Amino acid sequence: MEDKPRPEIQAGIYPTEVIRDVAESVGITGLTDTVATGLAGDVEYRITLLIEEASKFMKHSKRTALLPCDIENALKVLNIEPLYSPHPATSIPTYRRVATPAGPVFALEDKEIDFEKALREPLPRLSKGPSYTSHWLAIEGVQPLIPQNPAPTDNGPMHQLAPAQAALNNNNNNGAGVGGTASTTIHPPVKHLLSHELQLYYIRLTSALLSPATNVPEAREAALASLRGDPGLGGLVPYLVRFAGEKVSTNLSNLDIIDAMVGVVHSLIDNQTLFIEPYLHQILPLLLTTLLTSSYPAPPDQKALWLRQKSASLIARLLNDYSNSYPTLSGRVAKTLFKALSGDDQVLGESASTDIGTRFGSVLGLKAIGKNTAVRALIHEKGLKGLSELAESLNEEAKMQMIDVVIEVLAEVLPEAKAVEINSSQIEDTCGSLIASQIPVKKPELTSSIATALQEESGAEENV
């Protein structure tokens, strides 16, 4: 059987002369036409494959012109070492001619480095390594003003709740008629921290608190009970504290509103789910104002006395809860009460420095701070003497009220009576003639307790 002749390989576009030149450059001579034609066809196939892949990159790039970067990407896809495409005109590389035994070689021009000069130069500054720090993003729903947090964009009052108020008004008015006036909703320039439900709750709560207690006492009691037991009011605490402070500062002569605001503070303290420690700097001045104000009716007004007693008890509770965390807190409050008892007009003002109610409040406040502090201010510093002198101008009922309060405080803070010599003139010089004359009548055993306190003070001075 005769062998069929093999078909001749048809030469393509790629010239065979280029194949022979490349073969001779690497030392291969005598390449036959058949081999050269076969290699030329293989090169042509691979070039076609490369151009087809490059055209895909061109089309996906929404271009109609083939760029060198398309060729490089096609070479990477075909797992072939990419060529170096022409550099942009701004960074054209320079080459230098290097003579070698095999012939001249062109290499990239490298910058020569002088080691002596390089060693004399100062070392570059090391970049700061990665580090981590922590800061408060928010505390009880309030963003602290620190550099790590974005600055607030609104300087308006924190408790401005215009969107909820507009919604509440729309619900109450049930819409305007054709001839009526349409209400305009003004949107504030900042995003509110409170949800729409909490805003409505705040508005209804404040409305119930500000309503006269004689008209709707159940509404106020329900509002205070809600503050006392609701666990979801953490975001409202700063708004309520500020609301109470503003109402106290502008309504000191209105005992009904003062009673409601003191009740708000009392309810916030009673609510175990709320964290009020960040707001002590706002709550304590509020309570000191309701304790020492001279705007209350003059004695023997029972409501004013009750408000002072309630404020003093709340101050005592706060000091008992937070004195360990803030060691200077009790001392700062005591310093304010000392000045109120002594009638310091630079701190209290001219009217409050001579007001008997302010002295009442300071006595009650000192009892709340502690026994030793109260004894020092009332007995050793002769605070009762100034109170007694002011009370001389009161009517009999007011005098008796003042004396009853003082005797009640002394009974709680004075040390236990000992067998000591009682000097009536010394007690009168310490307590004032009015109080000293009533102590033996109202509570005779306090005379010995006062004498004991005076003797302990003199003994301590002798030891020093």
Side-chain angles (χ1 to χ4, degrees), residues 377-392 402-403 406-407 410 414 423-440 446-447 449-451 454:
L378 298 176
I379 304 300
H380 302 163
E381 301 293 337
K382 298 183 179 180
L384 289 180
K385 185 176 181 180
L387 179 62
S388 178
E389 293 173 354
L390 275 180
E392 294 287 351
M402 183 273 296
I403 291 171
V406 169
I407 289 177
L410 291 178
L414 284 175
N423 189 336
S424 301
S425 59
Q426 187 181 17
I427 294 178
E428 183 176 348
D429 182 61
T430 301
C431 301
S433 58
L434 178 61
I435 296 177
S437 63
Q438 292 296 322
I439 288 177
L446 288 181
T447 306
S449 298
I450 295 173
L454 292 174

Side-chain angles (χ1 to χ4, degrees), residues 77-97:
V77 169
L78 296 173
N79 200 21
I80 303 174
E81 182 180 357
L83 301 174
Y84 294 100
S85 60
H87 296 268
T90 56
S91 60
I92 298 177
T94 58
Y95 298 90
R96 61 187 178 91
R97 188 173 184 273

Side-chain angles (χ1 to χ4, degrees), residues 169-186:
N169 293 339
N170 292 337
N171 292 337
N172 294 337
N173 296 335
N174 295 324
V178 176
T181 303
S183 61
T184 303
T185 302
I186 300 175

Side-chain angles (χ1 to χ4, degrees), residues 149-223:
N149 289 335
T153 57
D154 184 32
N155 296 325
M158 289 288 292
H159 61 280
Q160 181 183 7
L161 304 171
Q165 183 66 60
L168 188 63
N169 293 339
N170 292 337
N171 292 337
N172 294 337
N173 296 335
N174 295 324
V178 176
T181 303
S183 61
T184 303
T185 302
I186 300 175
H187 296 281
V190 296
K191 182 180 179 181
H192 287 279
L193 299 177
L194 296 179
S195 65
H196 189 71
E197 292 76 11
L198 277 180
Q199 294 182 40
L200 291 175
Y201 176 87
Y202 175 87
I203 293 170
R204 295 185 184 278
L205 179 75
T206 53
S207 299
L209 292 172
L210 295 179
S211 61
T214 55
N215 295 345
V216 193
E218 297 83 4
R220 178 176 294 184
E221 290 299 326

